[in-house]
Amino acid sequence: MTSEDASGTRSTYWRAYALIGAAIVTLNVVNMFTAFRDRPEVPPIMPVLEEGTSAVSALAFLWIAFAAFRLAPPGSRPVWRMLAVQAAGLLAFTTAHVTGFMLLRMAAFQALDLPFRFDLADRFVYELRKDAFGYLLGMAALWAMIRLYGAEPAAAVSTPATFDIRDGPRILRSPAADILAATSAGNYVEFILADGRKPLMRASLTAIEAELAPLGFVRTHRSWLVNAARVTELRPEKSGDYAVRLGDLEAPLSRRFPEALARLRG
């Protein structure tokens, strides 16, 4: 990723933070005025503190949802990993959100000598339902803004510069940049190298995708992975699919993989 791309990504995240933060504050203000009407017997300061601490805590821990998005954005593969990361992100966000506003309320209510009652189990389930709805809307908004303002960010991980192609006891250690593509070949995966070699490795393409995705490889077809950094041309076909050129090599890009097209265009 170039420095310009990285700057654009940071800018997009700040835009998303501002948009989602405004939605959170607006919702809590509405809830506060609803409480004024529905609970006239309580001092007005109590709904103000309740909704204010909820908004502050949600804004403080919004980074958890953004981190989950960077690790496994909606539409990324494998799907099970994306779902697992997003579920963990939701649970982590709700836990931090509830713990944060509970501690803030406890301190504020004690300072003002107001009664404080909190059922953690019931409250957590209630907040989890609310946060789940907001979390899904937030992920959708972030995904849409990245599509609008910049390319989808890659997971921030430290990755090696080489990849080991293993064939039994034999190991071919190839620079990742020299691997143009990988394609399914029965029970094997065939690697197509820049020097023309085509070594085989006994593995599934899905397993290889999990290892090569952090190195910049993109699944363009159920049988193909391509090195995004080596793509030289994208050519539309009449069927709605695309052909991907990597120098002298041509690989298919199926219309069933729209996220790959967006990634390569970006």
Side-chain angles (χ1 to χ4, degrees), residues 25-253:
V25 172
T26 300
L27 178 61
N28 280 274
V29 169
V30 171
N31 289 341
M32 181 180 67
F33 281 101
T34 301
F36 290 160
R37 183 193 64 195
D38 296 343
R39 298 159 58 196
E41 72 282 0
V42 304
I45 190 62
M46 291 181 66
V48 172
L49 290 175
E50 290 169 352
E51 298 303 327
T53 54
S54 178
V56 168
S57 183
L59 291 172
F61 294 109
L62 198 54
W63 64 268
I64 295 175
F66 285 0
F69 186 96
R70 285 183 64 86
L71 286 172
S76 62
R77 295 171 181 271
V79 174
W80 65 266
R81 179 180 180 274
M82 182 269 293
L83 293 176
V85 170
Q86 294 303 331
L90 171 60
L91 287 174
F93 173 76
T94 298
T95 300
H97 177 211
V98 173
T99 302
F101 75 61
M102 180 187 70
L103 294 175
L104 289 173
R105 288 180 194 177
M106 185 183 301
F109 277 49
Q110 287 179 351
L112 297 174
D113 197 24
L114 295 171
F116 180 77
R117 295 182 299 274
F118 192 85
D119 187 331
L120 180 59
D122 287 346
R123 190 69 184 188
F124 184 83
V125 173
Y126 171 74
E127 292 293 336
L128 180 61
R129 289 199 301 265
K130 287 203 313 179
D131 286 351
F133 179 72
Y135 189 94
L136 291 174
L137 287 182
M139 290 298 98
L142 181 54
W143 181 86
M145 293 188 75
I146 285 175
R147 286 291 182 271
L148 180 63
Y149 290 109
E152 182 176 285
V157 294
S158 176
T159 55
T162 61
F163 180 78
D164 290 346
I165 302 173
R166 302 174 295 277
D167 183 10
R170 177 174 176 264
I171 296 177
L172 173 61
R173 182 157 294 163
S174 173
D178 290 347
I179 302 174
L180 299 180
T183 182
S184 179
N187 294 328
Y188 290 81
V189 172
E190 182 180 72
F191 294 85
I192 304 172
L193 306 185
D195 62 8
R197 288 179 296 167
K198 297 182 179 181
L200 292 171
M201 176 173 169
R202 189 176 180 86
S204 69
L205 193 62
T206 299
I208 297 301
E209 178 185 10
E211 295 187 65
L212 288 181
L215 298 175
F217 284 72
V218 180
R219 185 76 169 259
T220 62
H221 186 274
R222 63 192 178 102
S223 300
W224 280 82
L225 289 170
V226 302
N227 188 340
R230 299 298 299 261
V231 172
T232 57
E233 181 186 357
L234 286 174
R235 187 180 70 250
E237 306 284 358
K238 292 182 179 179
S239 63
D241 297 334
Y242 277 75
V244 181
R245 296 288 302 184
L246 305 100
D248 294 332
L249 175 67
E250 184 169 292
L253 197 167

